[in-house]
Amino acid sequence: MSAIASATPAGQARVQRLERIWAERPGLVGWLTTTDHKRIGLLYLFASLVFFAAGGVEALLVRTQLAAPNQHVLGPAAYDETFTMHGITMIFLFVIPITTGAFGNYLLPLMIGARDMAFPRLNALSFWLFAGSGLFLYMSMIVGQAPSAGWFNYVPLASRAYSPDKGIDFYSYGLIFNAIASTAASVNFIVTIFKLRAPGMSLNRMPLFCYAFLAVSFSLLFALPFLSVALILLELDRQLGFHFYDAAAGGDPLLWQHLFWLFGHPEVYIIILPAFGFATSIIPTFVRRRMVAFPLVALAELLVGFLGFGVWAHHMFAVGLSTSTTTYFAAASLIIVIPSAIQIFAWITTILTGLPRFTTPLLFIIGFILFFLLGGLTGIMFAAIPFDQQLTDTYFVVAHFHFVIFGAAVFPILGGLFYWFPKVTGRLYHERTGQISFWITFVGTLLTFFPMHILGLLGMPRRDYTYPSGLGWGGFNLLETIGAYVLTAGLLLIVGNLLYSLRRGAPAGNDPWSGATLEWSTTSPPPAYNFPVIPVVSSAYAMWDEDDRRADAARLNRGELVLERGHETVASTVQDGDWDEVLTMPSESPWPITLAIAVTAMFAMLLLEHFVTAGVFGGVALLALLGWHTTEPQES
């Protein structure tokens, strides 16, 4: 029972005051100026799903082109642009934004008992910058100059000599832009996790979901500067005639690969770590027991993020690095298996020793574990240097990558959509349709990506827009294309189920799954202030401590930890989660979207080489910042 349901008239009066204080304007203006982490999470969700649909159409175009030898669905240039935009979209505009931006924003403050993120306006700015970067990148397709050098954009292919149009510039500016948004979001998550936890939520009582997001946030914070530096050097080469990557002038093309993969390999774990957080939330709920080896799983999540920075050169075994260097990176690549194996052991053991209910969310998590195992095993194979050198740039790499990225990252996202759908909408999805959609998606994923291993072993190179007949590749490619359409059918069934349930689903109540973490203690959907009373926590499975939740209800009636006198939340100490101070939080504001629009226009003018106009928009951005800081709330 929620604290509101058992509130006395005095408690109800305090709740009504909270509703007035935390209410935002209705309608479109309310969404444009919102600083509510839940609304921002939903904005991220809808935007990233739109980009997912675009990336999915691009994938289907690629698979249709390759369904048979000598196809002409796409020409070579259009094929290059399509697979490049597919990679950029799925990595930068879908997986990371939907996990950190959508799920992280919506759920993390609820899980730690906070009323908002630490920096609500910065949170809004992160979303609008992300949206601007996505529009900026897709503008390249509208003007017919999309990037075409692959999602990792190797030089010299990306140099002005080989890519003279503005496609690579769209890529560079768009990703610098995107990195600003992700960096701001990372800082916000780190401060929120360390400072806004509910009283009593010491680090060892923090949900494993939060450890995963802490590891992701630190990884983003340290990985993105390498990408930004690489892109700035590339633009200096392209725009001003520098020679950082020009071997003929003393530069080094491998510098791009080092910088890119110093970002790119941690990026793989940035993509996969939220999936670990989803699994550690969903499994305990549906097997009715606490996670086995909780401290080791928490450490393993952090270690995966840390070790991910030491293996970047295993993407470069074929470029001629010294034997001692490649041997070090091969060993480091094997070491990272250890924390991953700890988590797999903990997930499987928890399921086997619990009382599993195989509902749709748990099915997607089991599918995730299977695909993560398959993708992990082929990852171990790539740590063997001769094997890697033989299969570099073949479809075996594509198969490994997609089992990890789609099977192991997207399946938990789909499981999470079903798991938290009742909390976000207040309604239950249709369970039988959900299970059918899982099996169609599972079969489609296997059909699409497993034959790629065989094609890779047969020598089919990646990124060729077609292939001749008579090589024995046609049958496997046709099977993959059929799989892609089956996979699409499964995804469309998921969308249909959730849209139908949004209108017609049965009422969910506050806690339909008997979940373990604090988001299930409030109403569905949660109110603007999240909790009528700040919860006090005594374990990592706060909702299973019934005495604590009854104590919350009593505090509401006594007026303790309600904070109904202002737009406030509680700050706590970093390690022990003790009460520290009360913070006044900023409310809705027009400045984040104003600043994002000015920055977007500035990047567009830079691309068009209208430097004066870009300077004007830069000035507008500074004025927006000035307006922003004239209305800062005061600490109390």
Side-chain angles (χ1 to χ4, degrees):
M1 180 180 292
S2 73
I4 294 177
S6 58
T8 61
Q12 292 289 354
R14 295 186 183 99
V15 171
Q16 289 168 8
R17 182 167 171 75
L18 283 173
E19 288 173 354
R20 289 195 298 274
I21 291 171
W22 285 82
E24 292 187 334
R25 274 177 279 190
L28 180 62
V29 174
W31 283 95
L32 294 176
T33 59
T34 185
T35 53
D36 182 336
H37 70 96
K38 299 180 292 299
R39 295 181 110 187
I40 293 170
L42 291 175
L43 288 170
Y44 266 111
L45 178 69
F46 296 135
S48 55
L49 287 178
V50 168
F51 288 124
F52 182 48
V57 170
E58 289 153 4
L60 285 177
L61 284 170
V62 168
R63 284 309 329 156
T64 305
Q65 165 66 20
L66 296 175
N70 302 312
Q71 290 270 79
H72 298 286
V73 177
L74 296 171
Y79 182 85
D80 290 349
E81 292 179 353
T82 304
F83 80 71
T84 298
M85 286 303 294
H86 166 71
I88 294 169
T89 302
M90 291 305 191
I91 297 289
F92 296 100
L93 304 180
F94 168 60
V95 178
I96 297 175
I98 198 171
T99 50
T100 57
F103 284 95
N105 256 307
Y106 197 99
L107 294 168
L108 200 135
L110 289 169
M111 280 195 183
I112 63 174
R115 284 195 167 146
D116 208 330
M117 297 287 285
F119 308 114
R121 289 183 191 168
L122 187 66
N123 200 22
L125 177 65
S126 299
F127 168 74
W128 293 115
L129 287 176
F130 153 71
S133 72
L135 293 174
F136 186 86
L137 283 163
Y138 267 86
M139 188 65 70
S140 66
M141 294 195 87
I142 294 171
V143 300
Q145 296 191 50
S148 58
W151 80 275
F152 42 74
N153 197 53
Y154 276 177
V155 292
L157 185 59
S159 66
R160 187 171 284 281
Y162 297 98
S163 299
D165 66 15
K166 292 191 177 298
I168 301 300
D169 304 312
F170 272 109
Y171 173 94
S172 300
Y173 290 129
L175 293 193
I176 291 171
F177 201 176
N178 190 278
I180 297 170
S182 296
T183 301
S186 306
V187 171
N188 215 346
F189 278 119
I190 291 168
V191 177
T192 302
I193 290 171
F194 278 142
K195 286 300 295 178
L196 297 193
R197 301 194 309 275
M201 188 179 282
S202 53
L203 288 178
N204 61 332
R205 294 172 181 168
M206 194 167 72
L208 289 168
F209 180 96
C210 302
Y211 278 100
F213 276 76
L214 191 61
V216 168
S217 301
F218 274 114
S219 297
L220 278 168
L221 200 59
F222 287 104
L224 286 170
F226 293 109
L227 176 64
S228 298
V229 168
L231 293 166
I232 291 169
L233 297 185
L234 179 61
E235 281 306 299
L236 288 173
D237 275 13
R238 289 178 58 86
Q239 305 293 345
L240 300 178
F242 284 56
H243 302 285
F244 290 105
Y245 304 122
D246 182 1
D252 187 355
L254 286 187
L255 175 61
W256 170 270
Q257 294 198 32
H258 281 294
L259 288 171
F260 184 86
W261 289 117
L262 269 164
F263 153 78
H265 198 80
E267 174 82 352
V268 174
Y269 299 110
I270 288 166
I271 289 169
I272 201 77
L273 274 165
F276 298 168
F278 293 4
T280 52
S281 295
I282 293 173
I283 290 173
T285 296
F286 290 108
V287 304
R288 309 308 305 156
R289 65 154 296 163
R290 301 181 179 212
M291 181 63 65
V292 169
F294 183 102
L296 284 177
V297 174
L299 286 172
E301 288 178 350
L302 298 174
L303 266 178
V304 166
F306 178 75
L307 294 174
F309 283 87
V311 297
W312 80 91
H314 81 203
H315 295 272
M316 301 166 61
F317 284 165
V319 303
L321 299 176
S322 68
T323 303
S324 58
T325 301
T326 53
T327 303
Y328 162 77
F329 282 102
S333 302
L334 291 172
I335 288 172
I336 207 165
V337 172
I338 296 171
S340 301
I342 289 172
Q343 292 175 91
I344 292 172
F345 170 81
W347 299 329
I348 294 175
T349 307
T350 305
I351 293 171
L352 292 179
T353 56
L355 298 170
R357 287 181 291 152
F358 292 101
T359 55
T360 306
L362 187 59
L363 287 175
F364 274 104
I365 294 303
I366 291 171
F368 146 69
I369 294 172
L370 181 63
F371 288 133
F372 186 51
L373 273 170
L374 287 170
L377 288 173
T378 52
I380 295 170
M381 293 162 74
F382 277 116
I385 298 166
F387 182 87
D388 178 282
Q389 290 172 335
Q390 286 295 316
L391 290 174
T392 288
D393 275 342
T394 69
Y395 258 83
F396 198 94
V397 181
V398 181
H400 159 69
F401 185 70
H402 279 84
F403 264 126
V404 173
I405 298 301
F406 192 89
V410 176
F411 265 57
I413 291 173
L414 300 175
L417 284 174
F418 281 105
Y419 180 58
W420 283 292
F421 180 82
K423 177 51 58 183
V424 175
T425 66
R427 293 186 179 276
L428 294 171
Y429 61 85
H430 192 275
E431 179 61 41
R432 180 60 61 87
T433 308
Q435 294 185 14
I436 292 171
S437 66
F438 162 76
W439 286 110
I440 295 174
T441 308
F442 184 82
V443 170
T445 303
L446 272 180
L447 274 178
T448 306
F449 301 120
F450 191 81
M452 291 182 184
H453 294 96
I454 303 168
L455 281 173
L457 293 171
L458 291 174
M460 181 173 174
R462 64 195 296 193
R463 299 183 170 175
D464 283 3
Y465 88 103
T466 189
Y467 52 92
S469 58
L471 295 175
W473 299 347
F476 291 111
N477 271 297
L478 179 61
L479 198 59
E480 290 168 12
T481 304
I482 293 171
Y485 282 94
V486 172
L487 175 55
T488 304
L491 295 173
L492 289 175
L493 188 57
I494 291 170
V495 173
N497 185 4
L498 296 183
L499 286 178
Y500 177 83
S501 302
L502 185 63
R503 297 277 184 183
R504 302 293 182 86
N510 296 343
D511 187 12
W513 313 130
S514 298
T517 40
L518 280 174
E519 74 272 24
W520 302 106
S521 72
T522 189
T523 54
S524 303
Y529 47 89
N530 287 353
F531 302 97
V533 59
I534 302 295
V536 175
V537 172
S538 59
S539 83
Y541 297 91
M543 278 298 287
W544 293 350
D545 299 324
E546 295 180 359
D547 290 344
D548 287 350
R549 303 291 67 81
R550 280 194 287 270
D552 288 344
R555 274 194 296 276
L556 172 62
N557 293 329
R558 294 197 302 270
E560 298 173 8
L561 285 176
V562 179
L563 308 181
E564 79 278 25
R565 296 184 179 179
H567 207 260
E568 298 172 337
T569 194
V570 169
S572 52
T573 57
V574 172
Q575 186 173 346
D576 296 327
D578 293 333
W579 173 295
D580 192 5
E581 60 182 325
V582 174
L583 300 177
T584 299
M585 307 297 285
S587 54
E588 57 189 344
S589 168
W591 297 117
I593 188 171
T594 306
L595 180 56
I597 291 171
V599 172
T600 305
M602 184 179 74
F603 273 86
M605 291 301 109
L606 283 173
L607 182 73
L608 296 172
E609 300 177 6
H610 294 168
F611 298 113
V612 174
T613 313
V616 171
F617 281 112
V620 174
L622 290 175
L623 289 174
L625 272 176
L626 186 64
W628 179 320
H629 289 286
T630 56
T631 55
E632 282 289 323
Q634 301 299 313
E635 292 184 1
S636 62

